Amino acid sequence: LSPKNKVALTGTYTLPVPENLGHVAASATLTHSDSMFTNYVDRGVADPAISGLGVLPALNLLNLDLNWRSIASTHVDLTLFATNVTNKQYYTFVPGLYQTVGFEAATLGMPRMYGARVRYSW
């Protein structure tokens, strides 16, 4: 009930900006998870509506970050980020209720999200 392999690869590029402007870096993280069983109950169930939920397919997710530390030599840092950039729709959990209650449920993964974080240090 866990992927055999899960790998994350992150690459970071530091932009060549003058030091008085701060430190700017862009990064990308690609996460890969192998396919995995979600439960043992739904395997072999004849109902086509849920037959694919017994095994979740392999999954690749891409996250991006832009970090600007010490903006213009101040104590302010800014991070812009985007998660699940490709807006992949995927399940993270399937409990295997079908044989017991006659229906199945599934937990969806997080959709694409954009955001910003501001930090002040003193």
Side-chain angles (χ1 to χ4, degrees):
L1 303 178
S2 177
K4 183 175 182 179
N5 297 296
K6 186 169 184 176
V7 179
L9 178 66
T10 300
T12 302
Y13 176 73
T14 302
L15 282 72
V17 297
E19 193 169 321
N20 64 336
L21 292 180
H23 305 281
V24 182
S27 64
T29 300
L30 177 65
T31 305
H32 169 80
S33 296
D34 286 346
S35 63
M36 66 179 211
F37 290 116
T38 57
N39 59 68
Y40 294 111
V41 176
D42 292 338
R43 292 191 313 167
V45 173
D47 188 341
I50 66 161
S51 62
L53 294 176
V55 176
L56 297 181
L59 176 65
N60 295 309
L61 294 177
L62 176 65
N63 299 328
L64 301 175
D65 290 297
L66 180 66
N67 297 298
W68 189 1
R69 294 184 299 128
S70 301
I71 298 174
S73 298
T74 65
H75 296 280
V76 178
D77 300 339
L78 173 67
T79 300
L80 303 175
F81 64 89
T83 59
N84 190 7
V85 173
T86 60
N87 203 27
K88 177 77 173 170
Q89 295 180 358
Y90 61 100
Y91 296 117
T92 59
F93 177 70
V94 181
L97 300 173
Y98 185 79
Q99 301 289 12
T100 308
V101 295
F103 66 89
E104 189 57 276
T107 304
L108 294 172
M110 296 296 291
R112 180 179 351 182
M113 179 176 64
Y114 301 98
R117 291 186 286 271
V118 177
R119 180 173 73 173
Y120 181 82
S121 304
W122 60 90

